[in-house]
Amino acid sequence: MKLLITNAIICDQHSAYHGKKCHVFISQGIISDIQLASKKDSTTSTKGYTVIDANGATLTPGFVDMRTTLREPGFEYKETLQTAALAASAGGFTTITALPNTHPVMQTKADMEYVSKRAQTLPVHILPYGALTKNCEGNDMNELYDMHQAGAVGFTDANKCIMHAGVMMRSLMYAKIFGGLVLSHAEDTNLSSGGRMHEGLTSVNLGLKGIPNMAEEVIIARDLELAKYTQAPIHFSHISSKGSVELIKSAKKQGVTVTCDVAVANLVYNDEALNSFDSNFKLNPPLRSKADQKALWEGLNDGTIDCIVTDHCPEDVEHKVVEFEYAAKGMIMLQTAISLLLQHKPQNITKEVVINALTHNPRAILKQAQVSINTGNTASLCLIDEKAKWTFDAKTNQSKSQNSPVYNQVLTGKVLATFNKNNYYQY
């Protein structure tokens, strides 16, 4: 297939054409040529190309999500690999990951191969994570190397913390041998047990039991020491507090091989959103204070936080549209992530910082080939109209679930198309 994207403004700091309006030629899934739109005489024939006029829209590398709950197998009534892939593509993602908290838990070579095979016909690449411990129970380490050989890009117990320090230490040491990545969900359940939201003034006013920042920070401090001791890399998933940012920033300065990500929700919302008792704001980790939210943006801006993740977590009506006390945690985010980020980012945060945290950084951490917008590279791309308005509702939603606080709302910033796997998908 041959495509020509005309009049696109490239947003990719790794591209020689960053910030310039260009015509991008794609042939058989490869960027075959890039020419400045101001250049009148083209040296490349446009015969046989399907032309897509970007009309000044932004062209970026395809987004990568390092934290996606896909639900299949076992919970297909909430989401399937197919519906998640459709939602991801509509949100500008060309690669997503599959957390292992399914039923049964994804923890064998066959499980990794199942995901990889199912993803072959879908519009996005799906990279599986393997469960770090048997059945995500935190006790006995799984056979990580077998899963790594079968395509696992990392190991995690999803939303369960490895409470046993010895298990975490041995996991880091073992994964280091073959270059595997251990991802830590930092939550001391002795401190967070029974909590419904962030512990602070809002939780007191609402009469809800809170989860202190310390529940996250003590595990981050512990795991940083373990990473330092084992000299192994570690990645912290969806950090949420100012103290966590400071701990990781200090560790990076000391030379510890540590990376981390932050969820979209924790960047664009804070605990005051729960004043409405909207169960869609009930998350793990919880939405923190304004001070924490500010620190997360600052950590992203100065490079302490490497990536932004959607933390996409589909839930059915029976688990979400109930009293706040009993509602499950999580919200869907694949399709609305870039819109919310562009709408809510502080003025001092550039668009490039956000795009880099969604593209190059996660690819580097997951050891995936980079797809910068340069001639000869794979065409894994996203076209965004940053000013376009659209409604996220039953007509546009590609997910099986609806647990989003912006459902039936008008958003600014729309993905017009994604280009991936030698195909393109318009929205």
Side-chain angles (χ1 to χ4, degrees):
M1 184 176 65
K2 300 174 78 174
L3 292 172
L4 170 57
I5 308 170
T6 62
N7 303 306
I9 298 177
I10 293 177
C11 181
D12 177 10
Q13 291 180 310
H14 295 253
S15 170
Y17 298 91
H18 174 60
K20 299 175 182 177
K21 183 180 283 190
C22 297
H23 305 320
V24 180
F25 295 78
I26 301 172
S27 180
Q28 302 305 312
I30 302 296
I31 299 174
S32 56
D33 193 16
I34 301 176
Q35 297 185 3
L36 294 174
S38 58
K39 186 177 179 180
K40 294 183 178 180
D41 299 321
S42 173
T43 57
T44 302
S45 171
T46 60
K47 184 178 180 180
Y49 282 86
T50 299
V51 179
I52 299 173
D53 188 357
N55 196 28
T58 302
L59 188 67
T60 75
F63 304 151
V64 177
D65 189 12
M66 283 190 66
R67 191 169 186 83
T68 328
T69 302
L70 301 186
R71 298 300 187 190
E72 182 183 341
F75 303 102
E76 286 86 352
Y77 57 94
K78 299 182 182 184
E79 193 80 287
T80 65
L81 295 181
Q82 182 176 16
T83 56
L86 293 173
S89 182
F93 291 87
T94 54
T95 300
I96 60 177
T97 52
L99 287 169
N101 54 340
T102 51
H103 184 71
V105 170
M106 292 198 297
Q107 55 189 354
T108 68
K109 176 181 177 181
D111 295 330
M112 304 303 107
E113 292 172 344
Y114 168 79
V115 172
S116 299
K117 185 175 182 180
R118 284 277 284 112
Q120 288 177 0
T121 58
L122 299 177
V124 301
H125 301 284
I126 302 180
L127 307 175
Y129 288 133
L132 187 60
T133 67
K134 294 187 186 304
N135 299 316
C136 294
E137 294 174 349
N139 299 317
D140 302 309
M141 184 173 58
N142 273 317
E143 182 41 71
L144 309 184
Y145 183 67
D146 278 357
M147 290 189 284
H148 175 76
Q149 289 288 87
V153 293
F155 307 99
T156 174
D157 278 359
N159 283 347
K160 292 184 177 181
C161 179
I162 307 297
M163 290 296 295
H164 195 299
V167 171
M168 176 57 86
M169 183 183 72
R170 289 188 289 274
S171 299
L172 289 168
M173 294 177 71
Y174 183 43
K176 175 187 174 183
I177 295 171
F178 56 86
L181 178 67
V182 172
L183 298 94
S184 172
H185 165 74
E187 178 191 2
D188 189 324
T189 52
N190 296 308
L191 297 171
S192 67
S193 180
R196 299 292 180 261
M197 64 174 294
H198 169 65
E199 182 183 86
L201 182 60
T202 304
S203 68
V204 173
N205 290 337
L206 296 178
L208 294 173
K209 184 176 180 181
I211 301 171
N213 286 358
M214 182 171 57
E216 177 174 298
E217 293 161 10
V218 294
I219 297 297
I220 287 183
R222 181 202 74 177
D223 287 354
L224 285 171
E225 288 301 317
L226 293 175
K228 188 186 303 183
Y229 175 77
T230 59
Q231 297 185 344
I234 190 168
H235 181 88
F236 291 102
S237 300
H238 54 198
I239 67 169
S240 64
S241 78
K242 179 180 179 180
S244 296
V245 175
E246 291 171 349
L247 285 166
I248 293 169
K249 185 174 185 177
S250 175
K252 285 190 172 186
K253 288 181 179 178
Q254 295 172 36
V256 180
T257 308
V258 55
T259 53
C260 65
D261 62 59
V262 61
V264 174
N266 290 93
L267 288 172
V268 303
Y269 302 117
N270 57 62
D271 62 341
E272 293 180 9
L274 279 82
N275 282 318
S276 63
F277 282 99
D278 183 346
S279 63
N280 289 311
F281 289 116
K282 187 178 181 181
L283 307 173
N284 183 18
L287 299 175
R288 300 289 185 184
S289 68
K290 284 185 177 179
D292 292 307
Q293 182 184 21
K294 182 174 182 289
L296 292 172
W297 276 112
E298 290 173 350
L300 184 71
N301 199 35
D302 68 20
T304 301
I305 298 176
D306 302 274
C307 310
I308 299 173
V309 297
T310 69
D311 221 357
H312 180 79
C313 186
E315 285 291 348
D316 61 316
V317 172
E318 292 183 2
H319 287 85
K320 207 64 176 172
V321 187
V322 295
E323 290 181 32
F324 189 89
E325 179 78 12
Y326 305 107
K329 297 175 181 178
M331 70 168 66
I332 56 172
M333 186 58 76
L334 280 169
Q335 210 169 327
T336 58
I338 190 61
S339 301
L340 291 172
L341 289 167
L342 292 176
Q343 281 183 230
H344 291 273
K345 73 176 183 66
Q347 289 187 348
N348 66 311
I349 306 294
T350 65
K351 175 176 60 180
E352 285 79 3
V353 167
V354 172
I355 297 302
N356 206 45
L358 287 168
T359 56
H360 292 287
N361 288 357
R363 282 192 173 90
I365 293 169
L366 295 174
K367 298 180 180 178
Q368 301 298 300
Q370 292 293 349
V371 292
S372 58
I373 305 177
N374 289 301
T375 303
N377 287 351
T378 300
S380 178
L381 307 169
C382 169
L383 186 64
I384 313 163
D385 186 335
E386 298 176 43
K387 298 180 180 179
K389 295 186 181 298
W390 65 287
T391 303
F392 182 50
D393 56 15
K395 291 182 179 179
T396 56
N397 181 29
Q398 300 293 324
S399 173
K400 265 196 171 184
S401 296
Q402 302 176 0
N403 55 309
S404 167
V406 294
Y407 203 69
N408 291 321
Q409 291 187 20
V410 176
L411 302 176
T412 302
K414 187 180 190 303
V415 173
L416 302 179
T418 53
F419 307 83
N420 198 31
K421 294 186 174 183
N422 194 27
N423 209 337
Y424 76 99
Y425 310 86
Q426 289 185 288
Y427 303 100

